[in-house]
Amino acid sequence: KAGVTQTPRYLIKTRGQQVTLSCSPISGHRSVSWYQQTPGQGLQFLFEYFSETQRNKGNFPGRFSGRQFSNSRSEMNVSTLELGDSALYLCASSPWSSRSGYTFGSGTRLTVV
Amino acid sequence: EDKVVQSPLSLVVHEGDTVTLNCSYEVTNFRSLLWYKQEKKAPTFLFMLTSSGIEKKSGRLSSILDKKELFSILNITATQTGDSAVYLCAVTSGSRLTFGEGTQLTVNP
């Protein structure tokens, strides 16, 4: 059974640009959530999608957005990149929203220069 | 605001030692507490705890939850160098996970 797949693995962008990250959940999983991990802040919740609907959103500015498609694949977009957006972005999937353990992907390492 | 606090933040032990990692939390609408192990990138799932006093075990790892005192512990017995990792505690509240800072465990041979 394939795990959670995130692409790309690494990304370098310049300030002011925008970026789109992709996450393919485990087959059959309908909940996808996104997290930002930095050395100073740890893992912080960005948002969660369930059946194409955003169910919950963390305390991040509007530059961070996401969506989920009918096949449960999800994308997150960050516009007007700032240096502080450099982080490991992790996606996690679950069969049900918050009712079982979440399986994480290997993440996308974003570096903003 | 939901809060999860782990202690210690860092721990260095020798192979064969037993370690106890702590996690306390303050969250609204608590659903479950999860433990993850993170070695490089993807945190890997260890346990999910929903009920107080029921120990979950997997090999040398075990965990228990106290919902009255709002904490959980993760025990690792007979540690091995392969146990070296960051151990993350997270609490689900609604549909979000709130993570603690993690405990960096280093097991020396």
Side-chain angles (χ1 to χ4, degrees):
Chain A
K1 191 174 183 182
V4 179
T5 304
Q6 291 189 246
T7 57
R9 296 292 298 274
Y10 302 92
L11 206 50
I12 300 176
K13 291 284 189 178
T14 55
R15 275 182 300 176
Q17 287 187 310
Q18 76 164 17
V19 67
T20 299
L21 311 181
S22 179
C23 172
S24 293
I26 291 172
S27 178
H29 285 196
R30 296 165 65 187
S31 170
V32 174
S33 34
W34 290 88
Y35 294 83
Q36 181 195 66
Q37 187 173 32
T38 58
Q41 300 294 322
L43 267 154
Q44 291 190 290
F45 174 78
L46 281 156
F47 27 66
E48 188 249 359
Y49 288 87
F50 183 79
S51 294
E52 301 179 67
T53 301
Q54 188 180 87
R55 295 286 292 270
N56 213 333
K57 186 171 172 22
N59 297 323
F60 279 81
R63 300 184 297 107
F64 292 82
S65 62
R67 58 178 175 169
Q68 186 180 34
F69 302 96
S70 58
N71 62 357
S72 294
R73 189 177 72 85
S74 177
E75 289 181 346
M76 70 162 276
N77 185 77
V78 188
S79 62
T80 321
L81 284 165
E82 300 177 359
L83 295 179
D85 297 332
S86 295
L88 178 66
Y89 290 88
L90 291 162
C91 162
S93 76
S94 171
W96 303 99
S97 180
S98 79
R99 296 182 191 179
S100 58
Y102 292 80
T103 303
F104 282 84
S106 294
T108 294
R109 171 73 63 185
L110 172 65
T111 302
V112 182
V113 297
Chain B
E1 186 176 323
D2 296 345
K3 190 175 179 182
V4 178
V5 177
Q6 292 186 245
S7 65
L9 293 181
S10 180
L11 192 56
V12 180
V13 300
H14 291 288
E15 264 191 320
D17 288 350
T18 293
V19 298
T20 298
L21 309 183
N22 304 294
C23 175
S24 63
Y25 62 91
E26 293 177 31
V27 298
T28 55
N29 194 26
F30 172 89
R31 284 182 180 265
S32 61
L33 185 144
L34 297 95
W35 284 96
Y36 285 88
K37 177 183 181 183
Q38 187 174 28
E39 292 177 86
K40 290 182 180 177
K41 284 194 175 180
T44 53
F45 174 76
L46 294 175
F47 298 111
M48 182 170 75
L49 304 157
T50 56
S51 302
S52 272
I54 299 175
E55 186 182 47
K56 293 232 175 168
K57 293 192 76 169
S58 177
R60 298 176 292 103
L61 277 67
S62 64
S63 183
I64 197 162
L65 173 67
D66 186 328
K67 290 171 73 174
K68 183 180 177 185
E69 300 297 330
L70 307 182
F71 79 90
S72 174
I73 60 172
L74 174 69
N75 280 318
I76 308 175
T77 60
T79 52
Q80 303 170 357
T81 55
D83 294 328
S84 296
V86 175
Y87 290 83
L88 296 163
C89 171
V91 177
T92 58
S93 173
S95 58
R96 72 169 66 191
L97 284 171
T98 300
F99 281 87
E101 291 182 69
T103 294
Q104 172 73 60
L105 173 65
T106 302
V107 182
N108 291 324

